[in-house]
């Protein structure tokens, strides 16, 4: 029997942790000597608020780092928009978190898609943020204003990142007083009357600091349905979301600090038809202890509770056909890493982590003609992963070698599917057999600094991902297509190789190129069985080969940041999925490119333009319907009015490009049209 805490318990946990964090932040550091101890030598206490430093061999993999300036100056003010500056990043659909169903917000890299689940591991200060049941990322809860750095690793396998990183990892790091300042906030309105507001305070308290932040977005939305396809039931993509975060960092000694965090959010959206409403909400809390002495360590524990609801409206009768009333889920786990001092040329990482995801859905199908409820369904289960890893980086002059191994014990337990008819009689009551096993993964690489202008690197790696509870147990409908779950799904397993070059022809100019070959065996895809039925199934593999280019330059007051990804991805399939063999995975473009040109003529000023191109992709697995290529231009202008206040102008899709986000036999959804924002930004250092 699965147990889910009540929402009141969730709020109590968050409230208790918030109170504890404020108490911690106001408490003097333990490193201070007591009066009875007599005079003591002063020990410098440096509070960082991050995890352990990057290991020397981090550049062996295809890593892109986004700084605070890049993060805080996106045209939409949304983290998914920030991440698209790394070519190869994608969600299942092209919509952002204002106009898509939350369950479509899976994050992936390198065209290793196939359905809406995340194949990139997304971490916020070391905590996995994906919904424990679905695997989608709650992007609207991850406010860019709170972040100090984002690091995206394309590929790289599991390693010390944990399971799930089959296409790569996305590490979000919260900012502190140095990057955010004492106070940062903004208020904007667009031409449709939609509003966006955020406020973040990062005061220093004693020898530590705290960060408190709120964000609220609300709008009537735009028309996702083309004008010639609208009907009386058509609706704008209305949205309203808020999130609040609290974080405290306090030193315990001159080398040890404790970090406590809490996050709460709520998101409501409407898509395509009146009544087609979805909600996503959650709370999470974490506690982290970081030691930076000779025996460096990082110990982290977290808990998260989330919920999801969704109403499906028939595209013919415009009546409710499904009420996914609630999908409560709980995720909890932790990680411990130790870096023993084994010599100045080695960085050894020894660690273990655990991750548990459990949840269940409650939904009610309705007759699209009569409007009467026809059944009640419940389904869910539990996934568990316990991992152990070891990784060593060895520096030999200008050459850095790295090698690591990881073993995971995975379990799929307590799976069930139960259905009652309209009279309350049980028609289906299935308990699925528990499954468990071990997965072993390896990775290694090398970086050679041939000169100050040239670095060469190469890496090979493996990884794996468990099917989500959603893929295993939850059927769903995007009218008129019904997709069945599959409790017999196997784990996805990755094998990858890559090689790259980094050129620095002149100071502050960096050019990178990476070639890669990634094969995702037993990839989970939505496989067409009939014109109106699909099922989640393992195909033999998704094979992605490609080229990734990057360019970064900072020349005086002008800067440029560009990225391009070209990927040849195809499905290897046989048996009942043979019709997919040789086809490109659904929702995967061959070409994606982005470039941002910025000018900061003086302090506080910033003018930036971002050009993005996403190539054509297919809506479905059989390559029946095409989503045309789209090229968009965004712009940001910031002009200081006083020392603390700036005028902020932002423009999304300035060319008003038609962005097709869904195409099912000519039934189309569109992405955001031209949107102009104006407001003010406040910043106090």
């Amino acid at each position: 029997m699965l147990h889910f805490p009540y929402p009141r318990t969730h709020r109590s946990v968050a409230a208790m942790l918030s109170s504890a964090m404020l108490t911690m932040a106001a408490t003097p550091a333990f490193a201070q000597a007591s009066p009875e101890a007599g005079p003591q030598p002063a020990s410098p206490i440096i509070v960082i608020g991050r995890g352990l430093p990057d290991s020397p061999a981090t550049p062996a993999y295809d890593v892109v780092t986004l700084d605070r300036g890049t993060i805080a100056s996106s045209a939409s003010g949304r983290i998914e928009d920030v991440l698209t500056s790394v070519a190869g990043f994608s969600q299942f659909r092209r919509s952002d978190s204002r106009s898509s169903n939350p369950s479509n917000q899976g994050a992936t890299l390198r065209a290793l898609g196939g359905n809406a689940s995340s194949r990139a591991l997304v971490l916020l200060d070391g905590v996995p943020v994906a919904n424990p049941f679905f695997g989608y990322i709650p992007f609207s809860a991850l406010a860019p204003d709170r972040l100090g750095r984002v690091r995206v690793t394309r590929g790289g396998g599991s390693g010390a990142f944990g399971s799930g990183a089959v296409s790569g990892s996305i590490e979000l790091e919260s900012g502190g007083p140095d990057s955010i300042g004492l106070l940062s906030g903004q208020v904007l309105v667009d031409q449709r009357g939609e509003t966006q507001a955020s406020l973040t305070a990062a005061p220093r308290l004693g020898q530590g600091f705290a960060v408190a932040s709120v964000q609220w977005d609300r709008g009537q939305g735009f028309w996702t349905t083309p004008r010639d396809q609208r009907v009386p039931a058509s609706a704008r993509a209305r949205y309203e979301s808020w999130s609040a975060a609290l974080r405290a960092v306090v030193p315990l000694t001159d080398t040890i600090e404790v970090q406590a965090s809490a996050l709460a959010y709520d998101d409501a959206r409407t898509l395509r038809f009146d009544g087609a409403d979805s909600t996503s909400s959650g709370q999470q809390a974490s506690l982290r202890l970081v030691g930076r002495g000779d025996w460096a360590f990082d110990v982290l524990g977290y808990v998260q509770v989330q919920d999801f609801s969704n109403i499906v409206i028939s595209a013919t009768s415009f009546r409710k056909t499904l009420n996914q009333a609630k999908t409560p889920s709980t995720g909890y786990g932790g990680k411990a890493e130790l870096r023993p001092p084994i010599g100045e040329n080695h960085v050894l990482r020894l660690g273990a982590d655990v991750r548990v995801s459990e949840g269940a859905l409650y939904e009610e199908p309705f007759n699209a003609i009569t409007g009467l409820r026809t059944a009640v369904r419940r389904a869910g289960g539990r996934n568990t992963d316990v991992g152990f890893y070891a990784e060593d980086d060895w520096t030999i002059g200008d050459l850095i070698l790295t090698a690591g191994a990881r073993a995971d014990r995975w379990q799929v337990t307590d799976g069930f599917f139960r259905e009652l008819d309209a009279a309350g009689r049980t028609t289906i009551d299935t308990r699925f057999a528990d499954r468990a096993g071990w997965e072993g993964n390896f990775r290694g690489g090398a970086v050679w600094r041939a000169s100050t202008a040239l670095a060469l690197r190469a890496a090979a790696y493996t990884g794996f991902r468990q099917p989500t509870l959603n893929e295993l147990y939850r059927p769903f409908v995007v009218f008129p297509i019904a997709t069945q779950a599959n409790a017999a799904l196997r784990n996805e397993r990755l094998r990858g190789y890559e090689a790259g070059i980094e050129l620095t022809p002149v100071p502050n100019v960096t050019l990178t190129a990476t070639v890669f070959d990634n094969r995702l065996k037993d990839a989970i895809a939505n496989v067409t069985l009939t014109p109106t039925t699909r099922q989640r199934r393992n195909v033999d593999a998704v094979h992605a080969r490609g080229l990734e280019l990057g360019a970064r330059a900072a020349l005086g007051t002008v800067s440029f940041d560009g990225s391009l990804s070209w990927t040849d991805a195809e499905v290897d399939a046989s048996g009942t999925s043979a019709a997919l063999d040789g086809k490109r995975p659904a929702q995967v473009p061959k070409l994606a490119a982005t470039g941002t040109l910025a000018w900061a003529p003086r302090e506080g000023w910033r003018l930036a333009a971002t050009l993005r191109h996403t190539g054509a992709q297919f809506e479905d697995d059989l390559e029946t319907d095409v989503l045309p290529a789209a090229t968009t231009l965004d712009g940001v202008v910031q002009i200081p009015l006083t020392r603390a206040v700036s005028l902020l102008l932002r423009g999304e899709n300035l060319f008003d490009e038609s962005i097709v986000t869904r195409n099912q036999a000519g039934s189309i959804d569109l992405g955001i049209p031209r949107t102009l924002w104006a407001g003010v930004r406040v910043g106090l250092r």
Side-chain angles (χ1 to χ4, degrees), residues 458-493:
Y461 41 82
T462 64
F464 92 104
R465 181 184 77 91
Q466 280 186 270
T468 63
L469 300 174
N470 174 54
E471 292 168 315
L472 291 167
Y473 308 121
R474 172 187 170 258
F476 70 95
V477 176
V478 178
F479 194 85
I481 307 296
T483 301
Q484 302 169 353
N486 185 351
L489 290 170
R490 299 182 298 277
N491 294 337
E492 296 181 336
R493 290 173 290 162

Side-chain angles (χ1 to χ4, degrees), residues 286-328:
S286 65
L287 194 64
R288 189 178 197 179
L289 195 65
V290 180
R292 309 181 196 279
D294 292 338
W295 288 78
F297 60 85
D298 189 343
V299 180
L300 168 72
Y302 71 91
V303 61
Q304 55 187 191
V305 291
Q306 298 189 30
D307 200 0
F308 168 84
S309 71
N310 184 55
I311 295 176
V312 179
I313 301 295
S314 168
T316 53
S317 69
F318 309 112
R319 288 178 176 267
K320 178 168 58 179
T321 62
L322 182 64
N323 177 21
Q324 296 168 320
K326 54 185 177 180
T327 315

Side-chain angles (χ1 to χ4, degrees), residues 543-614:
H543 193 187
R545 294 159 289 193
L547 171 68
E548 293 161 344
L549 302 177
R552 181 168 292 179
L555 304 174
T557 59
V558 177
S559 64
F560 175 79
D561 201 333
S563 182
L564 180 146
S565 175
W566 179 87
T567 308
D568 180 18
E570 65 179 24
V571 176
D572 295 338
S574 59
T576 56
S577 304
L580 307 185
D581 191 53
K583 290 183 167 53
R584 200 189 316 170
Q587 306 290 333
V588 168
K590 278 192 174 182
L591 180 66
T594 178
T596 297
L597 182 64
W599 179 42
R602 62 185 67 178
E603 184 177 357
W605 288 71
R606 182 173 177 84
L607 293 84
T610 299
L611 187 68
R612 292 192 181 93
H613 176 80
T614 301

